[in-house]
Amino acid sequence: MTVSPIPVLDVGGTHVTAALVDPATGRPIPSSVTRRPLGSNAAAARILDAIALAALELPADHRPCWGVAMPGPFDYDTGIGRFAGIGKFESLSGVDVGAGLRRRLDHRAERLRFLNDADAFAIGEYHAGAAAGHDRVVCLTLGTGVGSSFLRTGRPVHDGATVPPAGHVHRLTVHHRPLEDTVSRRAIRAHYARLEALPADRALPDVHEIAVRAEEGNAAAAEAFRYAFDTLGQALAPWIDRFEATAVVVGGSMAQSWGLIHPALSAGLAVAGGTAVRVLPARRPAEAPLIGAAHWAQDAPSAP
């Protein structure tokens, strides 16, 4: 008997990806994966239209419950956006995203099950990637900022004394400042500019270009990366001990610069004197959020 695939969406600040996940293999069906641009500063109706357009491109023979990975802040239980004051998806603040998408998807969506995008990545890596085999693992997504998920036996932990507030590393402070003042796209660019004494009116290179310069031997670029991820390691170390994690899995766009991130992050963890853990690159960085969203949808209670 053929089992219907699981429809999933991975919503990001610049793109939305739709796919069908084969429950037999646990992997996205390659021919179904659709990636479309998404303007996070657009009006609410335009954002919802764009997400629905990607979803409607999927073949229709799928299950009625969707898994939807969304960035925060978001009320994942009710499907309502809480994006006020963060510079993206502002128009969705207070909007019932779930109702808006169900209306646009008509008969193809009886239910949408939302989860945090970092949690979706972590669950995907647990089931099919570098987090497999680890009962307790911390997963990081490094992009514009620092996303995080603390997984226990494949389930995100958001409460309790063993994890940061809501399980979010970006809420931590280090050196008396918010973590993302040191570890983020804007922080690395600003630090590099200071080290190079760039004029204030000069356009700053993006993180990818700074990484290229570091790999070519530019001392300021190398130090900007080293400082950021050494600091991340120091901030993270106490929580790894409290959570009793045995691995840290790293994904996100910045993780492509693994040769710069891995030694600095490992050194920061070691300097803080915490328990030694394996620091691993994501094995399925693109597929993991889709795989995780599918597991979330598949595990949904039967009640609407």
Side-chain angles (χ1 to χ4, degrees), residues 12 14 40 46 55 60 87 100 132 139 143 149 173 187 209 228 246 265:
T14 59
S40 63
R46 290 190 62 183
C139 295
S149 180
T173 58
E209 177 59 29
T246 55
L265 180 57

mmCIF file of all heavy atoms in Angstrom, residues 12 14 40 46 55 60 87 100 132 139 143 149 173 187 209 228 246 265:
data_model
loop_
_atom_site.group_PDB
_atom_site.id
_atom_site.type_symbol
_atom_site.label_atom_id
_atom_site.label_comp_id
_atom_site.label_asym_id
_atom_site.label_seq_id
_atom_site.Cartn_x
_atom_site.Cartn_y
_atom_site.Cartn_z
ATOM 1 N N GLY A 12 11.885 31.161 5.629
ATOM 2 C CA GLY A 12 13.031 31.955 6.055
ATOM 3 C C GLY A 12 12.837 33.415 5.728
ATOM 4 O O GLY A 12 11.815 33.817 5.158
ATOM 5 N N THR A 14 14.338 35.257 3.535
ATOM 6 C CA THR A 14 14.458 35.623 2.115
ATOM 7 C C THR A 14 13.841 34.593 1.170
ATOM 8 O O THR A 14 13.608 34.909 0.005
ATOM 9 C CB THR A 14 15.934 35.799 1.714
ATOM 10 O OG1 THR A 14 16.647 34.575 1.960
ATOM 11 C CG2 THR A 14 16.581 36.923 2.515
ATOM 12 N N SER A 40 10.517 39.462 3.474
ATOM 13 C CA SER A 40 10.061 39.507 4.865
ATOM 14 C C SER A 40 9.578 40.894 5.283
ATOM 15 O O SER A 40 8.987 41.041 6.359
ATOM 16 C CB SER A 40 11.174 39.049 5.804
ATOM 17 O OG SER A 40 12.294 39.915 5.731
ATOM 18 N N ARG A 46 0.805 39.744 1.186
ATOM 19 C CA ARG A 46 1.788 39.348 0.171
ATOM 20 C C ARG A 46 2.690 38.233 0.676
ATOM 21 O O ARG A 46 3.057 37.321 -0.072
ATOM 22 C CB ARG A 46 2.609 40.558 -0.257
ATOM 23 C CG ARG A 46 1.827 41.584 -1.077
ATOM 24 C CD ARG A 46 2.737 42.628 -1.680
ATOM 25 N NE ARG A 46 3.693 42.029 -2.613
ATOM 26 C CZ ARG A 46 4.646 42.729 -3.239
ATOM 27 N NH1 ARG A 46 4.772 44.042 -3.005
ATOM 28 N NH2 ARG A 46 5.474 42.140 -4.065
ATOM 29 N N ALA A 55 3.599 26.450 -1.642
ATOM 30 C CA ALA A 55 2.927 25.237 -1.162
ATOM 31 C C ALA A 55 2.038 24.627 -2.243
ATOM 32 O O ALA A 55 1.989 23.402 -2.404
ATOM 33 C CB ALA A 55 2.100 25.565 0.074
ATOM 34 N N ALA A 60 -0.676 17.291 -5.331
ATOM 35 C CA ALA A 60 -1.771 17.354 -4.351
ATOM 36 C C ALA A 60 -2.002 16.061 -3.575
ATOM 37 O O ALA A 60 -2.785 16.050 -2.621
ATOM 38 C CB ALA A 60 -3.060 17.755 -5.059
ATOM 39 N N GLY A 87 12.655 43.544 12.906
ATOM 40 C CA GLY A 87 13.186 43.913 11.600
ATOM 41 C C GLY A 87 12.846 42.967 10.469
ATOM 42 O O GLY A 87 13.332 43.145 9.352
ATOM 43 N N GLY A 100 -4.630 32.124 7.851
ATOM 44 C CA GLY A 100 -4.400 32.715 6.540
ATOM 45 C C GLY A 100 -3.903 31.710 5.522
ATOM 46 O O GLY A 100 -4.316 31.709 4.358
ATOM 47 N N ALA A 132 22.415 12.277 15.094
ATOM 48 C CA ALA A 132 21.929 10.908 15.298
ATOM 49 C C ALA A 132 22.780 10.181 16.332
ATOM 50 O O ALA A 132 24.009 10.294 16.334
ATOM 51 C CB ALA A 132 21.943 10.150 13.974
ATOM 52 N N CYS A 139 22.021 21.967 19.056
ATOM 53 C CA CYS A 139 22.169 22.295 17.638
ATOM 54 C C CYS A 139 22.097 23.812 17.456
ATOM 55 O O CYS A 139 21.250 24.479 18.061
ATOM 56 C CB CYS A 139 21.070 21.629 16.808
ATOM 57 S SG CYS A 139 21.156 19.819 16.822
ATOM 58 N N GLY A 143 23.499 32.258 11.188
ATOM 59 C CA GLY A 143 23.170 33.040 10.004
ATOM 60 C C GLY A 143 23.206 34.514 10.360
ATOM 61 O O GLY A 143 24.240 35.037 10.769
ATOM 62 N N SER A 149 18.758 24.915 19.405
ATOM 63 C CA SER A 149 17.781 23.937 19.865
ATOM 64 C C SER A 149 18.493 22.952 20.784
ATOM 65 O O SER A 149 19.565 22.443 20.444
ATOM 66 C CB SER A 149 17.151 23.195 18.691
ATOM 67 O OG SER A 149 16.211 22.240 19.130
ATOM 68 N N THR A 173 23.679 36.575 27.717
ATOM 69 C CA THR A 173 24.587 37.718 27.717
ATOM 70 C C THR A 173 26.005 37.208 27.931
ATOM 71 O O THR A 173 26.225 36.174 28.580
ATOM 72 C CB THR A 173 24.236 38.726 28.821
ATOM 73 O OG1 THR A 173 24.284 38.067 30.092
ATOM 74 C CG2 THR A 173 22.845 39.308 28.599
ATOM 75 N N ALA A 187 27.570 41.863 13.979
ATOM 76 C CA ALA A 187 28.670 42.015 14.931
ATOM 77 C C ALA A 187 30.014 41.675 14.292
ATOM 78 O O ALA A 187 31.014 42.378 14.516
ATOM 79 C CB ALA A 187 28.424 41.114 16.146
ATOM 80 N N GLU A 209 32.507 37.425 2.484
ATOM 81 C CA GLU A 209 33.730 38.038 1.979
ATOM 82 C C GLU A 209 34.784 38.136 3.087
ATOM 83 O O GLU A 209 35.983 37.943 2.836
ATOM 84 C CB GLU A 209 33.425 39.427 1.419
ATOM 85 C CG GLU A 209 34.642 40.202 0.936
ATOM 86 C CD GLU A 209 35.427 39.483 -0.167
ATOM 87 O OE1 GLU A 209 34.808 38.708 -0.935
ATOM 88 O OE2 GLU A 209 36.651 39.682 -0.241
ATOM 89 N N ALA A 228 34.481 36.040 17.653
ATOM 90 C CA ALA A 228 33.042 35.769 17.713
ATOM 91 C C ALA A 228 32.768 34.350 18.193
ATOM 92 O O ALA A 228 31.965 34.122 19.113
ATOM 93 C CB ALA A 228 32.403 36.012 16.351
ATOM 94 N N THR A 246 26.199 15.721 24.658
ATOM 95 C CA THR A 246 27.395 14.999 24.215
ATOM 96 C C THR A 246 27.890 15.480 22.860
ATOM 97 O O THR A 246 28.925 15.001 22.379
ATOM 98 C CB THR A 246 27.121 13.487 24.144
ATOM 99 O OG1 THR A 246 25.984 13.249 23.292
ATOM 100 C CG2 THR A 246 26.839 12.925 25.534
ATOM 101 N N LEU A 265 35.283 27.905 18.043
ATOM 102 C CA LEU A 265 34.212 27.441 18.923
ATOM 103 C C LEU A 265 34.742 26.388 19.897
ATOM 104 O O LEU A 265 34.444 26.423 21.098
ATOM 105 C CB LEU A 265 33.071 26.874 18.079
ATOM 106 C CG LEU A 265 31.848 26.331 18.821
ATOM 107 C CD1 LEU A 265 31.224 27.389 19.716
ATOM 108 C CD2 LEU A 265 30.815 25.804 17.821
#
